[in-house]
mmCIF file of all heavy atoms in Angstrom:
data_model
loop_
_atom_site.group_PDB
_atom_site.id
_atom_site.type_symbol
_atom_site.label_atom_id
_atom_site.label_comp_id
_atom_site.label_asym_id
_atom_site.label_seq_id
_atom_site.Cartn_x
_atom_site.Cartn_y
_atom_site.Cartn_z
ATOM 1 N N LEU A 54 162.553 21.033 5.942
ATOM 2 C CA LEU A 54 162.173 20.030 6.933
ATOM 3 C C LEU A 54 160.834 19.392 6.578
ATOM 4 O O LEU A 54 160.693 18.169 6.586
ATOM 5 C CB LEU A 54 162.111 20.680 8.322
ATOM 6 C CG LEU A 54 161.819 19.768 9.499
ATOM 7 C CD1 LEU A 54 163.059 18.960 9.865
ATOM 8 C CD2 LEU A 54 161.354 20.582 10.691
ATOM 9 N N LEU A 55 159.850 20.221 6.234
ATOM 10 C CA LEU A 55 158.525 19.705 5.857
ATOM 11 C C LEU A 55 158.586 18.864 4.588
ATOM 12 O O LEU A 55 157.945 17.811 4.507
ATOM 13 C CB LEU A 55 157.539 20.856 5.646
ATOM 14 C CG LEU A 55 156.956 21.522 6.862
ATOM 15 C CD1 LEU A 55 155.998 22.628 6.442
ATOM 16 C CD2 LEU A 55 156.256 20.541 7.766
ATOM 17 N N ASP A 56 159.334 19.323 3.603
ATOM 18 C CA ASP A 56 159.420 18.598 2.340
ATOM 19 C C ASP A 56 160.076 17.232 2.502
ATOM 20 O O ASP A 56 159.789 16.303 1.750
ATOM 21 C CB ASP A 56 160.201 19.410 1.297
ATOM 22 C CG ASP A 56 159.438 20.651 0.831
ATOM 23 O OD1 ASP A 56 158.219 20.737 1.090
ATOM 24 O OD2 ASP A 56 160.071 21.523 0.206
ATOM 25 N N ASP A 57 160.930 17.086 3.501
ATOM 26 C CA ASP A 57 161.653 15.839 3.730
ATOM 27 C C ASP A 57 160.852 14.846 4.568
ATOM 28 O O ASP A 57 161.215 13.692 4.688
ATOM 29 C CB ASP A 57 162.989 16.151 4.428
ATOM 30 C CG ASP A 57 164.017 15.062 4.260
ATOM 31 O OD1 ASP A 57 164.399 14.782 3.111
ATOM 32 O OD2 ASP A 57 164.417 14.481 5.296
ATOM 33 N N TYR A 58 159.742 15.279 5.157
ATOM 34 C CA TYR A 58 158.967 14.483 6.105
ATOM 35 C C TYR A 58 157.854 13.698 5.425
ATOM 36 O O TYR A 58 157.155 14.196 4.554
ATOM 37 C CB TYR A 58 158.357 15.407 7.166
ATOM 38 C CG TYR A 58 157.663 14.699 8.290
ATOM 39 C CD1 TYR A 58 158.377 13.958 9.214
ATOM 40 C CD2 TYR A 58 156.283 14.774 8.439
ATOM 41 C CE1 TYR A 58 157.746 13.316 10.263
ATOM 42 C CE2 TYR A 58 155.638 14.143 9.484
ATOM 43 C CZ TYR A 58 156.375 13.412 10.391
ATOM 44 O OH TYR A 58 155.732 12.772 11.428
ATOM 45 N N THR A 59 157.682 12.437 5.855
ATOM 46 C CA THR A 59 156.586 11.586 5.400
ATOM 47 C C THR A 59 155.648 11.368 6.578
ATOM 48 O O THR A 59 156.047 10.763 7.589
ATOM 49 C CB THR A 59 157.101 10.232 4.881
ATOM 50 O OG1 THR A 59 158.074 10.476 3.865
ATOM 51 C CG2 THR A 59 155.976 9.385 4.333
ATOM 52 N N VAL A 60 154.415 11.840 6.469
ATOM 53 C CA VAL A 60 153.459 11.791 7.567
ATOM 54 C C VAL A 60 153.079 10.355 7.934
ATOM 55 O O VAL A 60 153.030 10.006 9.110
ATOM 56 C CB VAL A 60 152.186 12.607 7.226
ATOM 57 C CG1 VAL A 60 151.135 12.477 8.307
ATOM 58 C CG2 VAL A 60 152.536 14.065 7.004
ATOM 59 N N ASN A 61 152.811 9.517 6.948
ATOM 60 C CA ASN A 61 152.338 8.153 7.209
ATOM 61 C C ASN A 61 153.298 7.340 8.060
ATOM 62 O O ASN A 61 152.879 6.561 8.915
ATOM 63 C CB ASN A 61 152.076 7.408 5.900
ATOM 64 C CG ASN A 61 150.960 8.043 5.102
ATOM 65 O OD1 ASN A 61 150.135 8.770 5.643
ATOM 66 N ND2 ASN A 61 150.943 7.790 3.815
ATOM 67 N N THR A 62 154.582 7.498 7.821
ATOM 68 C CA THR A 62 155.583 6.721 8.553
ATOM 69 C C THR A 62 156.266 7.515 9.660
ATOM 70 O O THR A 62 157.059 6.949 10.414
ATOM 71 C CB THR A 62 156.662 6.186 7.586
ATOM 72 O OG1 THR A 62 157.283 7.297 6.926
ATOM 73 C CG2 THR A 62 156.064 5.241 6.570
ATOM 74 N N LYS A 63 155.973 8.810 9.740
ATOM 75 C CA LYS A 63 156.596 9.712 10.714
ATOM 76 C C LYS A 63 158.121 9.637 10.629
ATOM 77 O O LYS A 63 158.808 9.511 11.636
ATOM 78 C CB LYS A 63 156.149 9.389 12.133
ATOM 79 C CG LYS A 63 154.710 9.705 12.427
ATOM 80 C CD LYS A 63 154.428 9.496 13.901
ATOM 81 C CE LYS A 63 153.034 9.930 14.240
ATOM 82 N NZ LYS A 63 152.766 9.852 15.678
ATOM 83 N N THR A 64 158.617 9.713 9.400
ATOM 84 C CA THR A 64 160.062 9.644 9.182
ATOM 85 C C THR A 64 160.505 10.734 8.207
ATOM 86 O O THR A 64 159.708 11.285 7.455
ATOM 87 C CB THR A 64 160.481 8.282 8.590
ATOM 88 O OG1 THR A 64 159.785 8.087 7.355
ATOM 89 C CG2 THR A 64 160.182 7.142 9.546
ATOM 90 N N PHE A 65 161.808 10.988 8.254
ATOM 91 C CA PHE A 65 162.425 11.905 7.310
ATOM 92 C C PHE A 65 163.273 11.098 6.339
ATOM 93 O O PHE A 65 163.850 10.072 6.708
ATOM 94 C CB PHE A 65 163.320 12.922 8.046
ATOM 95 C CG PHE A 65 162.538 13.891 8.880
ATOM 96 C CD1 PHE A 65 162.280 13.637 10.211
ATOM 97 C CD2 PHE A 65 162.057 15.066 8.324
ATOM 98 C CE1 PHE A 65 161.562 14.526 10.984
ATOM 99 C CE2 PHE A 65 161.331 15.964 9.091
ATOM 100 C CZ PHE A 65 161.074 15.688 10.421
ATOM 101 N N ALA A 66 163.377 11.548 5.115
ATOM 102 C CA ALA A 66 164.171 10.852 4.109
ATOM 103 C C ALA A 66 165.667 11.071 4.335
ATOM 104 O O ALA A 66 166.478 10.212 4.021
ATOM 105 C CB ALA A 66 163.775 11.318 2.708
ATOM 106 N N THR A 67 166.030 12.210 4.891
ATOM 107 C CA THR A 67 167.429 12.572 5.082
ATOM 108 C C THR A 67 167.798 12.489 6.559
ATOM 109 O O THR A 67 167.046 12.958 7.418
ATOM 110 C CB THR A 67 167.669 14.016 4.580
ATOM 111 O OG1 THR A 67 167.121 14.144 3.260
ATOM 112 C CG2 THR A 67 169.133 14.362 4.556
ATOM 113 N N GLN A 68 168.959 11.930 6.847
ATOM 114 C CA GLN A 68 169.398 11.756 8.238
ATOM 115 C C GLN A 68 169.563 13.085 8.967
ATOM 116 O O GLN A 68 169.261 13.191 10.149
ATOM 117 C CB GLN A 68 170.713 10.962 8.274
ATOM 118 C CG GLN A 68 171.179 10.623 9.675
ATOM 119 C CD GLN A 68 170.211 9.736 10.435
ATOM 120 O OE1 GLN A 68 169.665 8.796 9.885
ATOM 121 N NE2 GLN A 68 169.983 10.042 11.710
ATOM 122 N N LYS A 69 170.001 14.112 8.259
ATOM 123 C CA LYS A 69 170.228 15.389 8.946
ATOM 124 C C LYS A 69 168.932 15.972 9.496
ATOM 125 O O LYS A 69 168.931 16.594 10.557
ATOM 126 C CB LYS A 69 170.964 16.385 8.055
ATOM 127 C CG LYS A 69 170.161 17.074 6.990
ATOM 128 C CD LYS A 69 171.038 18.060 6.230
ATOM 129 C CE LYS A 69 170.236 19.106 5.527
ATOM 130 N NZ LYS A 69 171.062 20.134 4.918
ATOM 131 N N TYR A 70 167.799 15.746 8.831
ATOM 132 C CA TYR A 70 166.524 16.235 9.338
ATOM 133 C C TYR A 70 165.980 15.317 10.431
ATOM 134 O O TYR A 70 165.300 15.778 11.342
ATOM 135 C CB TYR A 70 165.524 16.435 8.205
ATOM 136 C CG TYR A 70 165.957 17.544 7.278
ATOM 137 C CD1 TYR A 70 166.263 17.297 5.953
ATOM 138 C CD2 TYR A 70 166.110 18.842 7.758
ATOM 139 C CE1 TYR A 70 166.696 18.311 5.120
ATOM 140 C CE2 TYR A 70 166.547 19.862 6.934
ATOM 141 C CZ TYR A 70 166.837 19.590 5.616
ATOM 142 O OH TYR A 70 167.272 20.597 4.802
ATOM 143 N N THR A 71 166.304 14.039 10.363
ATOM 144 C CA THR A 71 165.964 13.118 11.453
ATOM 145 C C THR A 71 166.679 13.551 12.725
ATOM 146 O O THR A 71 166.085 13.622 13.795
ATOM 147 C CB THR A 71 166.357 11.664 11.092
ATOM 148 O OG1 THR A 71 165.668 11.281 9.898
ATOM 149 C CG2 THR A 71 166.012 10.701 12.207
ATOM 150 N N ASP A 72 167.971 13.864 12.599
ATOM 151 C CA ASP A 72 168.750 14.336 13.748
ATOM 152 C C ASP A 72 168.215 15.653 14.283
ATOM 153 O O ASP A 72 168.143 15.850 15.501
ATOM 154 C CB ASP A 72 170.225 14.509 13.366
ATOM 155 C CG ASP A 72 170.906 13.196 13.047
ATOM 156 O OD1 ASP A 72 170.345 12.124 13.351
ATOM 157 O OD2 ASP A 72 172.013 13.247 12.470
ATOM 158 N N LEU A 73 167.841 16.546 13.399
ATOM 159 C CA LEU A 73 167.332 17.854 13.801
ATOM 160 C C LEU A 73 166.011 17.724 14.549
ATOM 161 O O LEU A 73 165.804 18.360 15.575
ATOM 162 C CB LEU A 73 167.151 18.751 12.567
ATOM 163 C CG LEU A 73 166.552 20.135 12.796
ATOM 164 C CD1 LEU A 73 167.430 20.973 13.710
ATOM 165 C CD2 LEU A 73 166.336 20.836 11.459
ATOM 166 N N PHE A 74 165.124 16.886 14.054
ATOM 167 C CA PHE A 74 163.787 16.804 14.644
ATOM 168 C C PHE A 74 163.703 15.838 15.825
ATOM 169 O O PHE A 74 163.082 16.138 16.844
ATOM 170 C CB PHE A 74 162.752 16.418 13.579
ATOM 171 C CG PHE A 74 161.343 16.664 14.032
ATOM 172 C CD1 PHE A 74 160.847 17.957 14.120
ATOM 173 C CD2 PHE A 74 160.516 15.619 14.395
ATOM 174 C CE1 PHE A 74 159.558 18.194 14.563
ATOM 175 C CE2 PHE A 74 159.224 15.849 14.839
ATOM 176 C CZ PHE A 74 158.740 17.133 14.923
ATOM 177 N N PHE A 75 164.325 14.673 15.705
ATOM 178 C CA PHE A 75 164.203 13.656 16.745
ATOM 179 C C PHE A 75 165.384 13.625 17.715
ATOM 180 O O PHE A 75 165.360 12.889 18.689
ATOM 181 C CB PHE A 75 164.010 12.277 16.121
ATOM 182 C CG PHE A 75 162.698 12.141 15.397
ATOM 183 C CD1 PHE A 75 162.665 11.949 14.027
ATOM 184 C CD2 PHE A 75 161.500 12.223 16.081
ATOM 185 C CE1 PHE A 75 161.464 11.816 13.349
ATOM 186 C CE2 PHE A 75 160.292 12.101 15.413
ATOM 187 C CZ PHE A 75 160.266 11.895 14.051
ATOM 188 N N GLY A 76 166.435 14.387 17.436
ATOM 189 C CA GLY A 76 167.572 14.451 18.333
ATOM 190 C C GLY A 76 168.691 13.507 17.932
ATOM 191 O O GLY A 76 168.499 12.595 17.131
ATOM 192 N N SER A 77 169.870 13.758 18.506
ATOM 193 C CA SER A 77 171.030 12.921 18.209
ATOM 194 C C SER A 77 172.158 13.232 19.190
ATOM 195 O O SER A 77 172.141 14.245 19.865
ATOM 196 C CB SER A 77 171.513 13.176 16.777
ATOM 197 O OG SER A 77 172.014 14.497 16.674
ATOM 198 N N ASN A 78 173.111 12.325 19.235
ATOM 199 C CA ASN A 78 174.367 12.584 19.933
ATOM 200 C C ASN A 78 175.316 13.154 18.889
ATOM 201 O O ASN A 78 175.327 12.701 17.748
ATOM 202 C CB ASN A 78 174.943 11.301 20.513
ATOM 203 C CG ASN A 78 174.045 10.706 21.580
ATOM 204 O OD1 ASN A 78 173.413 11.419 22.337
ATOM 205 N ND2 ASN A 78 173.981 9.390 21.628
ATOM 206 N N TYR A 79 176.110 14.134 19.287
ATOM 207 C CA TYR A 79 177.051 14.733 18.341
ATOM 208 C C TYR A 79 178.225 15.320 19.101
ATOM 209 O O TYR A 79 178.187 15.464 20.323
ATOM 210 C CB TYR A 79 176.366 15.789 17.465
ATOM 211 C CG TYR A 79 176.070 17.101 18.175
ATOM 212 C CD1 TYR A 79 176.900 18.216 18.007
ATOM 213 C CD2 TYR A 79 174.967 17.236 19.003
ATOM 214 C CE1 TYR A 79 176.628 19.410 18.657
ATOM 215 C CE2 TYR A 79 174.693 18.427 19.654
ATOM 216 C CZ TYR A 79 175.530 19.511 19.474
ATOM 217 O OH TYR A 79 175.269 20.695 20.113
ATOM 218 N N THR A 80 179.267 15.663 18.369
ATOM 219 C CA THR A 80 180.432 16.310 18.957
ATOM 220 C C THR A 80 180.345 17.797 18.672
ATOM 221 O O THR A 80 180.258 18.205 17.519
ATOM 222 C CB THR A 80 181.730 15.720 18.360
ATOM 223 O OG1 THR A 80 181.726 14.310 18.568
ATOM 224 C CG2 THR A 80 182.946 16.332 19.020
ATOM 225 N N ASN A 81 180.353 18.609 19.736
ATOM 226 C CA ASN A 81 180.213 20.054 19.554
ATOM 227 C C ASN A 81 181.538 20.678 19.117
ATOM 228 O O ASN A 81 182.539 19.981 18.938
ATOM 229 C CB ASN A 81 179.641 20.720 20.810
ATOM 230 C CG ASN A 81 180.568 20.649 22.009
ATOM 231 O OD1 ASN A 81 181.756 20.331 21.905
ATOM 232 N ND2 ASN A 81 180.014 20.938 23.175
ATOM 233 N N LYS A 82 181.533 21.994 18.970
ATOM 234 C CA LYS A 82 182.728 22.693 18.475
ATOM 235 C C LYS A 82 183.917 22.593 19.430
ATOM 236 O O LYS A 82 185.048 22.761 19.014
ATOM 237 C CB LYS A 82 182.396 24.171 18.218
ATOM 238 C CG LYS A 82 181.542 24.386 17.001
ATOM 239 C CD LYS A 82 181.305 25.867 16.765
ATOM 240 C CE LYS A 82 180.521 26.061 15.484
ATOM 241 N NZ LYS A 82 180.284 27.490 15.202
ATOM 242 N N ARG A 83 183.652 22.325 20.690
ATOM 243 C CA ARG A 83 184.736 22.191 21.667
ATOM 244 C C ARG A 83 185.250 20.750 21.761
ATOM 245 O O ARG A 83 186.077 20.439 22.600
ATOM 246 C CB ARG A 83 184.261 22.670 23.037
ATOM 247 C CG ARG A 83 183.972 24.172 23.082
ATOM 248 C CD ARG A 83 183.630 24.653 24.481
ATOM 249 N NE ARG A 83 182.496 23.961 25.075
ATOM 250 C CZ ARG A 83 181.231 24.324 24.965
ATOM 251 N NH1 ARG A 83 180.921 25.401 24.268
ATOM 252 N NH2 ARG A 83 180.265 23.653 25.558
ATOM 253 N N GLY A 84 184.709 19.853 20.944
ATOM 254 C CA GLY A 84 185.148 18.464 20.924
ATOM 255 C C GLY A 84 184.483 17.585 21.972
ATOM 256 O O GLY A 84 184.894 16.449 22.184
ATOM 257 N N GLU A 85 183.428 18.095 22.602
ATOM 258 C CA GLU A 85 182.715 17.330 23.623
ATOM 259 C C GLU A 85 181.553 16.572 22.988
ATOM 260 O O GLU A 85 180.876 17.076 22.107
ATOM 261 C CB GLU A 85 182.160 18.269 24.698
ATOM 262 C CG GLU A 85 183.218 19.126 25.365
ATOM 263 C CD GLU A 85 182.632 20.318 26.107
ATOM 264 O OE1 GLU A 85 181.518 20.781 25.746
ATOM 265 O OE2 GLU A 85 183.310 20.787 27.023
ATOM 266 N N SER A 86 181.317 15.365 23.471
ATOM 267 C CA SER A 86 180.185 14.580 23.007
ATOM 268 C C SER A 86 178.954 15.003 23.812
ATOM 269 O O SER A 86 178.969 14.962 25.051
ATOM 270 C CB SER A 86 180.457 13.089 23.201
ATOM 271 O OG SER A 86 179.356 12.341 22.754
ATOM 272 N N VAL A 87 177.920 15.450 23.121
ATOM 273 C CA VAL A 87 176.706 15.939 23.779
ATOM 274 C C VAL A 87 175.467 15.329 23.133
ATOM 275 O O VAL A 87 175.528 14.779 22.036
ATOM 276 C CB VAL A 87 176.604 17.491 23.742
ATOM 277 C CG1 VAL A 87 177.674 18.133 24.581
ATOM 278 C CG2 VAL A 87 176.649 18.003 22.332
ATOM 279 N N ARG A 88 174.353 15.448 23.827
ATOM 280 C CA ARG A 88 173.067 14.958 23.340
ATOM 281 C C ARG A 88 172.149 16.156 23.167
ATOM 282 O O ARG A 88 172.038 16.993 24.059
ATOM 283 C CB ARG A 88 172.481 13.988 24.357
ATOM 284 C CG ARG A 88 171.041 13.608 24.139
ATOM 285 C CD ARG A 88 170.934 12.396 23.293
ATOM 286 N NE ARG A 88 169.538 12.020 23.117
ATOM 287 C CZ ARG A 88 169.067 11.592 21.979
ATOM 288 N NH1 ARG A 88 169.862 11.457 20.945
ATOM 289 N NH2 ARG A 88 167.818 11.251 21.851
#
Side-chain angles (χ1 to χ4, degrees):
L54 184 76
L55 283 180
D56 291 345
D57 201 61
Y58 187 69
T59 305
V60 175
N61 296 339
T62 59
K63 291 187 175 185
T64 58
F65 291 92
T67 310
Q68 185 62 42
K69 77 178 201 174
Y70 294 116
T71 301
D72 293 347
L73 177 62
F74 195 73
F75 293 115
S77 66
N78 296 325
Y79 75 100
T80 304
N81 66 14
K82 287 183 176 181
R83 293 185 303 271
E85 303 163 335
S86 180
V87 293
R88 168 91 179 140

